[in-house]
Amino acid sequence: MSILKIAKMGHPILRKKSQEIVDPRSDSTKYLLDDMIETLEDIQGLGLAAPQVHVSKRLVIFYSPDEKSNHNDMSLSILINPIIEPLGSEIDYDWEGCLSVPGLRGLVPRYNKIRYSGFNQEGEFFDKVVDGLHARVVQHECDHLDGILYVQRMDKLENLIFESEMKFFGNT
Ligand code: NI
C-alpha cells in the first residue's frame, strides 16, 4: 500500500474521460483501491476519484452518511463504472471542496435526488436512490470520471472563495 500523489487543477488527466474497468475484481483494481483508500484517509478527504491519483479509470470512493446508523457516522463506499440518473428536477446549492482544487470552496448546484448504479469491489452490481449530501458527493466524484471539476458546474464564480474566508459567508 502507498499514499498516492493528487493531481491538481490544470493537470490534463483531470480533463480526460476515464475508461471503464473491465474486471472490478482484478488484482490491479484491488491494488488501486487499497492505495486510494489509504490516500483518502491520509488526506482526510470526503471522496476521491481515480483520475485524481493519475489513473484514468472509472472508479470512485467516497464517504456518505451511514444509512444503518442513527448517529452521524459516515461509511465508505466503493463505486466502479458508475451510472447516474437524476430523479426529478429539484436542484440544491451547497459548498463543495475538492482535493484537486486545494484551499478553495465553491457554491455548486446539484440534483437533490439521484439513482446511481455500478459495481462494488466484489464485482457485484448494485443500485441506490439517494438524496442530499450523499447525492452531491456521488455527482461530484463521478464528474471527475468525465473530466469535470466542480468549478465548471458553478453558475456564479463570485461564489468561488478561499476556505480561510468562509466566515464571511456565515458558514464555517
Ligand atoms: Ni473532487
Side-chain angles (χ1 to χ4, degrees):
M1 302 244 287
S2 43
I3 291 167
L4 305 170
K5 189 181 174 198
I6 307 270
K8 307 262 168 51
M9 181 165 63
H11 193 294
I13 199 153
L14 294 174
R15 290 203 295 271
K16 268 178 76 175
K17 194 172 162 67
S18 304
Q19 293 185 323
E20 296 258 311
I21 289 185
V22 178
D23 180 4
R25 290 181 304 171
S26 69
D27 284 348
S28 60
T29 305
K30 187 188 173 319
Y31 296 144
L32 172 61
L33 252 174
D34 287 347
D35 286 347
M36 283 175 62
I37 291 168
E38 194 179 0
T39 303
L40 187 60
E41 271 170 19
D42 176 68
I43 207 162
Q44 300 267 296
L46 197 58
L48 187 63
Q52 292 183 277
V53 292
H54 306 84
V55 179
S56 199
K57 298 270 184 194
R58 303 188 82 78
L59 190 164
V60 303
I61 63 175
F62 58 89
Y63 286 95
S64 61
D66 191 335
E67 294 143 15
K68 291 174 213 114
S69 164
N70 42 18
H71 305 287
N72 288 329
D73 296 338
M74 302 287 269
S75 63
L76 182 67
S77 295
I78 287 153
L79 181 55
I80 297 168
N81 298 339
I83 291 173
I84 296 181
E85 176 197 347
L87 297 177
S89 53
E90 193 185 333
I91 302 288
D92 286 342
Y93 282 79
D94 210 342
W95 294 95
E96 294 186 15
C98 180
L99 297 171
S100 295
V101 191
L104 293 175
R105 289 289 158 104
L107 195 60
V108 185
R110 299 282 185 191
Y111 289 105
N112 169 265
K113 194 172 183 184
I114 60 167
R115 172 181 288 121
Y116 73 93
S117 60
F119 295 87
N120 64 19
Q121 70 272 41
E122 275 88 43
E124 296 159 346
F125 183 81
F126 67 97
D127 72 296
K128 274 187 183 182
V129 173
V130 298
D131 60 9
L133 177 62
H134 192 154
R136 175 171 297 275
V137 173
V138 172
Q139 289 169 85
H140 175 117
E141 295 310 328
C142 293
D143 264 355
H144 279 299
L145 306 182
D146 292 324
I148 297 167
L149 297 174
Y150 78 78
V151 183
Q152 293 160 260
R153 294 290 190 191
M154 293 179 63
D155 47 20
K156 283 191 185 144
L157 277 179
E158 63 260 44
N159 291 327
L160 183 66
I161 63 169
F162 281 99
E163 241 162 30
S164 53
E165 309 292 3
M166 270 312 268
K167 57 184 181 287
F168 295 112
F169 285 74
N171 203 331
T172 49

